[in-house]
């Protein structure tokens, strides 16, 4: 079984780090995983994509993900039809936004059944870290909405990645996002 | 293709052509290349050592041999040419500040 | 070779940790107790050297890090270090490998047993920091043993195997371990690392037999006149021949001790295949995941993964080719103006002729400057290989170029 996650963020938001933490968590949990960014313009503010592939076997393509099971959007300004390109029927869309799942579905023109999870990661990041770096908060939402990796493994890795006080602040960000994520299954318009 | 039956085959040469015997260049007597031979005029020589410094083949010998010039000046050392390796380039003659070294045609057929 | 019971215990599953290929290589360098590292940073190799510097700073590796001003100096220093008997390592990519080119020949000519990792990257101009195989393909006739690896784990393992092969007194050739820049260098994945004692038991330091030593003077790199030069270069031909057997032995012994082995080439889904795709590094890894989809549509194409490239494992490749009707060779470098414009395709064409194989060859150039290739592209290549059983494709196909 394989789960492909595509991350959409802006340079500086930590999409690549988040993609790696999820892969590392899967590896610690005994699965095979790859995490890699869409290489190139690593500039603050520029749109970036990152990929995580999790699998039971090492037979995993090293290609950009075109048909993700999960799409994670770290910046609401990136919400367009393109964001959900190739997102599988029955997949999940995790978004950092103050909007509701229904509003998100409308903006991206959702035309298939998808679990949409929203969390106000900016607010959580500001309150816990004091900076709008949303990658750890969005991890909480991802774990809550998909269970793709365990919360405890994720927290352990966040603690390792960010040492000391920063680690604890990030752990708090994950936890609060985990608790405040709002999830709706959005059905295609004709069946809704 | 090989005309040199006496030279070693590839596997007889140490890898990469490493030369394992130190000082093997002593076997290579470059003295046979000479057309002109340097002759040091021991009376003129002021023992400045420049020829010894400049010789590209280390063919100038600095010997602990006493020498008394015709004017009675006494030197504790003597510079001589090692003709086994001197290739006759003339650098020493050029550098000698008192023109004590003369390049003369190499005697032919061992006449000396 | 007998393996001690304690060593056998190591084969038990160890817990993998998440590492990029660059980090995995740095770990291998640490676990091999390398003595001298001389390298110059270049994207996407840089984090290899950064990680090694970190190990040295943290006291986990006792090595001399030589800070040099160019790759030319980096390799020169590495060669010199190896010739003094040290275990020496360097790493580079792209333009860096090009700048080393002169010393590549000197390293093999002097028989310096060094290992170098190459995070393969396209060549300027125009500038590209992205991945293809142009750099390593330009180094294929320099007398280096060349491995292409397909995972971070394999990179770790092959750097270790590399020293065992390079330092073997029957070989004494430098080893290059090449992997796709970014696509592998910066991808995090699970890697099992071994403890230093086991690694050194497998690859004990066997320093250069004619090392520079004031107590025992030798001359290395002397002028070789026409009576001598040819024999000294021919020694490399013979050393390469012996390296093939040594590489096989090194891989098998690695498998016995650590439970992982790769073969010199890997034939994947080759049984019952009527056609093969030849690929290296990350493309081979991707094809393994994608080919089952091809078989579902009746496209019975196997993968011939080229792991050891120099010396070329001719017997194994011929054996695989002799059982199929067509072979599609993916080149990630361009041989401008050549009969086939892919360097590997030219070699396969020669191989097919040499062994009188009735195989249709398709030459495909792809992924130049990391031109995007998604799973469906690999599926298309599988179909192309399949078609070629009956339809000849005499010209190199430049897959994905805008024409
Ligand atoms: S002629 Fe040249 S080689 Fe001979 S002694 Fe003078 S400097 Fe040396
Ligand atoms: S350079 Fe002339 S003066 Fe000086 S030591 Fe030599 S021969 Fe004598």
């Amino acid at each position: 079984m394989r789960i492909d996650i595509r991350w959409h963020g802006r340079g500086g938001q930590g999409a690549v780090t988040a993609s790696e933490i999820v892969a590392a968590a899967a590896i610690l949990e005994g699965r095979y995983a790859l995490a890699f960014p869409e290489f190139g313009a690593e500039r603050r503010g520029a749109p970036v994509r990152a990929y995580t592939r999790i699998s039971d076997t090492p037979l995993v393509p090293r290609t950009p993900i075109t048909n993700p099971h999960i799409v994670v959007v770290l910046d609401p300004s990136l919400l367009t039809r393109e964001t959900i390109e190739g997102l599988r029927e029955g997949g999940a869309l995790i978004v950092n936004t103050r909007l509701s799942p229904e509003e998100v579905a409308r903006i991206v023109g959702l035309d298939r059944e998808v679990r949409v999870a929203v969390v106000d990661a900016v607010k959580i990041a500001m309150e816990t870290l004091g900076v709008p770096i949303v990658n750890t908060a969005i991890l909480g939402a991802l774990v809550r909405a998909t269970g793709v990796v365990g919360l405890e493994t994720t927290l352990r890795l966040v603690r390792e990645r960010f040492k000391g006080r920063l680690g604890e602040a990030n752990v708090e960000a994950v936890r609060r996002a985990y608790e405040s994520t709002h999830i709706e299954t959005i059905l295609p318009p004709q069946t809704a | 293709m090989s005309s040199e039956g006496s030279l070693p085959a590839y596997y007889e040469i140490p890898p990469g052509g490493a030369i394992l015997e130190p000082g093997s260049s002593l076997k290579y007597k470059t003295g046979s290349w000479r057309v002109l031979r340097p002759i040091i005029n021991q009376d003129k020589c002021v023992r400045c050592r420049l020829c010894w410094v400049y010789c590209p083949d280390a063919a100038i010998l600095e010997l602990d041999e006493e020498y008394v010039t015709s004017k009675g000046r006494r030197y504790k050392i003597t510079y001589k040419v090692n003709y086994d390796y001197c290739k006759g380039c003339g650098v020493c003659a050029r550098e000698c500040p008192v023109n004590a070294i003369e390049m003369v045609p190499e005697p032919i057929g061992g006449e000396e | 070779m007998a393996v001690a019971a304690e060593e056998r215990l190591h084969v038990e599953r160890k817990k993998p940790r998440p590492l990029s290929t660059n980090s995995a290589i740095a770990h291998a360098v640490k676990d091999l107790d390398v003595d001298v590292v001389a390298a110059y940073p270049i994207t996407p190799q840089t984090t290899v050297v950064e990680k090694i510097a970190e190990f040295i700073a943290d006291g986990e590796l006792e090595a001399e890090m030589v800070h040099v001003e160019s790759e030319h100096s980096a390799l020169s220093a590495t060669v010199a270090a190896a010739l003094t008997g040290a275990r020496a390592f360097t790493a580079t990519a792209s333009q860096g490998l090009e700048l080393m080119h002169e010393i590549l020949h000197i390293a093999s000519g002097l028989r310096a047993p060094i290992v170098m990792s190459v995070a393969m990257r396209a060549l300027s101009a125009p500038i590209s920091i992205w991945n293809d195989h142009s750099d390593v393909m330009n180094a294929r006739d320099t007398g280096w043993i060349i491995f292409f690896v397909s995972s971070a784990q394999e990179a770790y393992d092959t750097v270790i195997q590399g020293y065992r092969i390079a330092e073997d007194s029957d070989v004494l050739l430098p080893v290059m371990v090449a992997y796709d820049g970014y696509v592998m260098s910066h991808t995090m994945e699970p890697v099992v690392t071994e403890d230093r004692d086991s690694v050194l038991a497998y690859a004990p330091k066997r320093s250069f037999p004619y090392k520079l030593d004031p107590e025992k003077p030798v001359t290395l790199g002397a002028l070789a006149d026409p009576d001598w030069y040819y024999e000294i270069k021919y020694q490399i031909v013979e050393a390469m021949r012996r390296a093939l057997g040594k590489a096989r032995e090194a891989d098998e012994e690695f498998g016995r001790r650590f439970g992982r082995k790769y073969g010199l080439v890997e034939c994947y889904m080759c049984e019952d295949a009527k056609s093969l795709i030849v690929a290296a590094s990350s493309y081979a890894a991707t094809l393994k995941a994608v080919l089952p989809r091809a078989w579902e549509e009746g496209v019975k194409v196997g993968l011939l993964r080229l792991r050891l490239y120099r010396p070329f494992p001719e017997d194994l490749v011929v054996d695989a080719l002799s059982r199929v009707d067509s072979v599609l060779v993916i080149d990630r470098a361009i041989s401008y103006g050549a009969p086939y414009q892919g360097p590997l395709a030219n070699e396969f064409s020669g191989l097919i002729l040499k062994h009188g194989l009735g195989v249709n060859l398709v030459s495909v150039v792809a992924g130049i400057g990391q031109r995007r290739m998604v799973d469906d592209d690999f599926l298309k290549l599988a179909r192309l290989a399949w078609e070629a059983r009956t339809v000849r494709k005499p010209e190199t196909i430049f897959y994905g170029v805008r024409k």
Side-chain angles (χ1 to χ4, degrees):
Chain A
M1 204 196 65
R2 200 170 85 212
I3 299 169
D4 292 341
I5 309 172
R6 192 170 68 206
W7 305 77
H8 298 255
R10 293 190 178 278
Q13 288 181 324
V16 176
T17 304
S19 73
E20 289 181 355
I21 288 174
V22 171
I27 291 167
L28 282 189
E29 289 174 358
R31 280 174 290 169
Y32 190 89
L34 300 178
F36 50 101
E38 183 87 62
F39 314 100
E42 282 141 350
R43 293 158 302 180
R44 191 160 281 264
V48 293
R49 285 180 179 206
Y51 307 101
T52 308
R53 292 191 193 264
I54 299 172
S55 165
D56 296 335
T57 76
L59 300 177
V60 177
R62 292 172 179 274
T63 45
I65 293 171
T66 49
N67 287 107
H69 300 83
I70 302 168
V71 167
V72 184
V73 182
L74 282 80
D75 192 307
S77 70
L78 294 169
L79 275 177
T80 63
R81 190 170 276 279
E82 214 182 286
T83 330
I84 57 154
E85 203 181 312
L87 177 59
R88 289 174 198 242
E89 176 91 39
L93 175 63
I94 322 294
V95 188
N96 158 32
T97 179
R98 285 189 305 238
L99 301 175
S100 69
E102 292 80 4
E103 284 166 315
V104 167
R106 199 167 48 243
I107 290 171
V108 298
L110 209 57
D111 52 2
R112 62 214 101 148
E113 187 191 321
V114 164
R115 269 162 80 77
V116 179
V118 296
V119 66
D120 189 351
V122 172
K123 181 164 173 273
I124 293 171
M126 288 309 290
E127 286 171 8
T128 52
L129 309 169
V131 286
I133 300 178
V134 296
N135 59 348
T136 43
I138 204 86
L139 280 177
L142 171 73
V143 170
R144 169 75 183 283
T146 66
V148 65
V149 288
L151 180 62
E152 285 314 312
T153 328
T154 308
L155 292 178
R156 184 183 140 189
L157 280 159
V158 166
R159 224 177 249 119
E160 272 173 27
R161 187 90 177 209
F162 310 93
K163 304 243 153 72
R165 235 163 47 88
L166 192 59
E168 287 318 310
N170 275 293
V171 162
E172 179 61 17
V174 178
R175 269 194 216 287
R176 284 182 50 182
Y178 185 85
E179 281 151 20
S180 62
T181 298
H182 179 52
I183 307 164
E184 293 284 348
T185 297
I186 306 287
L187 299 173
Q190 60 268 33
T191 56
Chain B
M1 211 68 78
S2 169
S3 54
E4 306 80 12
S6 58
L7 289 176
Y10 74 90
Y11 52 85
E12 294 168 314
I13 304 171
I19 300 168
L20 307 182
E21 179 193 348
S24 60
S25 58
L26 287 175
K27 282 187 185 164
Y28 200 16
K29 305 239 162 122
T30 45
S32 63
W33 301 2
R34 223 164 33 238
V35 176
L36 295 175
R37 96 172 10 208
I39 307 284
I40 303 179
N41 181 331
Q42 298 296 345
D43 268 15
K44 266 183 153 180
C45 169
V46 295
R47 273 63 182 173
C48 73
R49 210 187 219 186
L50 281 178
C51 54
W52 182 88
V53 169
Y54 278 102
C55 173
D57 278 72
I60 301 278
L61 304 170
E62 189 180 81
L63 302 172
D64 289 325
E65 268 175 34
E66 237 185 44
Y67 184 83
V68 183
T69 66
S70 51
K71 288 184 182 145
R73 177 146 189 199
R74 183 179 298 269
Y75 287 112
K76 283 201 176 120
I77 54 167
T78 304
Y79 288 92
K80 283 193 177 159
V81 177
N82 183 340
Y83 292 110
D84 278 350
Y85 301 104
C86 163
K87 61 191 179 195
C89 68
V91 167
C92 53
R94 170 74 176 253
E95 296 298 332
C96 176
V98 296
N99 293 321
I101 304 178
E102 193 190 348
M103 300 302 291
V104 305
E106 187 68 16
I108 297 161
E111 52 156 308
E112 212 156 325
Chain C
M1 201 183 290
V3 180
E6 311 89 82
E7 279 166 356
R8 226 181 269 283
L9 288 177
H10 282 296
V11 179
E12 281 175 29
R13 283 233 161 276
K14 266 157 286 178
K15 245 193 160 9
R17 59 170 118 185
L19 293 177
S20 67
T21 299
N22 278 359
S23 300
I25 285 169
H27 274 271
V29 167
K30 169 173 71 71
D31 298 338
L32 280 153
D33 194 28
V34 164
D35 303 307
V36 177
V37 179
Y40 192 77
I42 181 167
T43 291
Q45 154 265 35
T46 311
T47 53
V48 177
V49 191
E50 282 177 358
K51 190 77 199 167
I52 295 173
E54 216 176 287
F55 285 141
I56 294 173
D58 292 348
E60 289 185 60
L61 172 65
E62 211 178 299
E64 188 76 32
M65 172 74 88
V66 187
H67 298 280
V68 288
E69 82 293 350
S70 74
E71 286 85 357
H72 191 279
S73 309
L75 189 54
S76 300
T78 309
V79 168
L83 297 183
T84 65
R87 181 169 269 184
F89 175 84
T90 188
T92 193
S94 186
Q95 307 306 120
L97 187 59
E98 295 303 297
L99 189 51
M100 283 180 178
H101 199 89
E102 180 192 1
I103 315 299
L104 292 178
H105 287 272
I106 291 174
S108 61
L110 289 175
R111 312 297 294 276
I114 61 187
V115 175
M116 165 161 75
S117 66
V118 181
M120 290 184 284
R121 170 183 147 184
L123 296 178
S124 294
I127 292 180
S128 165
I129 57 166
W130 289 270
N131 157 245
D132 68 26
H133 297 178
S134 307
D135 48 6
V136 167
M137 278 298 159
N138 270 343
R140 69 186 183 277
D141 293 333
T142 55
W144 282 61
I145 292 168
I146 301 174
F147 283 98
F148 289 115
V149 297
S150 292
S151 71
Q153 182 71 64
E154 192 187 347
Y156 175 85
D157 295 345
T158 305
V159 168
I160 294 169
Q161 293 187 9
Y163 279 100
R164 185 176 163 114
I165 301 164
E167 292 173 359
D168 191 302
S169 59
D170 284 339
V171 178
L172 292 178
L173 286 175
V175 172
M176 217 179 272
V177 177
Y179 54 102
D180 282 330
Y182 287 119
V183 180
M184 289 176 60
S185 65
H186 287 60
T187 292
M188 179 184 275
E189 54 191 270
V191 177
V192 173
T193 60
E194 307 295 339
D195 65 276
R196 180 173 290 176
D197 288 346
S198 317
V199 170
L200 289 179
Y202 166 82
K205 289 188 187 178
R206 284 171 295 177
S207 57
F208 189 63
Y210 311 106
K211 65 183 177 199
L212 294 169
D213 177 0
E215 299 296 314
K216 215 172 149 238
V218 293
T219 303
L220 304 175
L223 178 85
D225 69 21
D227 282 345
W228 294 85
Y229 181 85
Y230 196 3
E231 280 69 27
I232 294 167
K233 283 299 182 192
Y234 182 75
Q235 289 178 341
I236 299 177
V237 175
E238 288 295 330
M240 270 289 173
R241 239 194 276 277
R242 292 191 294 270
L244 196 63
K246 296 289 180 178
R248 180 176 293 129
E249 185 272 332
D251 188 48
E252 267 158 23
E253 181 60 19
F254 195 91
R256 275 193 287 276
R257 287 176 186 244
F258 302 111
R260 296 182 297 277
K261 67 173 181 173
Y262 302 91
L264 304 185
V265 296
E266 187 185 1
C267 221
Y268 183 76
M269 297 189 87
C270 284
E271 225 172 288
D272 301 328
K274 290 280 163 284
S275 175
L276 287 179
I277 296 185
V278 177
S281 206
S282 73
Y283 277 23
T286 294
L287 278 160
K288 278 193 188 180
V290 171
L291 283 182
R293 277 174 63 195
W295 282 67
E296 279 167 24
E297 5 176 304
V299 173
K300 297 176 183 171
V301 178
L303 164 71
L304 183 66
R305 175 168 86 90
L306 210 50
R307 175 167 180 261
L308 181 65
Y309 175 44
R310 288 287 185 273
F312 195 82
E314 189 167 333
D315 292 355
L316 298 172
V317 173
V318 167
D319 180 57
L321 291 184
S322 66
R323 286 182 271 125
V324 294
D325 301 323
S326 62
V327 59
L328 182 148
V329 178
I330 304 179
D331 267 293
R332 303 203 53 207
I334 303 175
S335 197
Y336 302 99
Y340 283 114
Q341 284 98 332
L344 272 180
N346 278 312
E347 294 190 6
F348 273 77
S349 154
L351 203 64
I352 289 167
L353 188 69
K354 177 176 172 184
H355 294 271
L357 301 168
V359 184
N360 283 345
L361 171 71
V362 195
S363 159
V364 170
V365 167
I368 298 300
Q370 207 174 330
R371 172 55 52 87
R372 191 178 167 88
M373 291 278 288
V374 298
D375 296 0
D376 284 347
D377 293 304
F378 289 94
L379 208 51
K380 281 182 197 156
L381 291 184
R383 293 188 199 117
L384 200 59
W386 184 244
E387 274 171 33
R389 289 170 306 133
T390 48
V391 189
R392 262 176 51 81
K393 317 246 178 208
E395 299 303 331
T396 295
I397 296 163
F398 287 86
Y399 187 84
V401 79
R402 290 186 296 275
K403 282 196 187 177

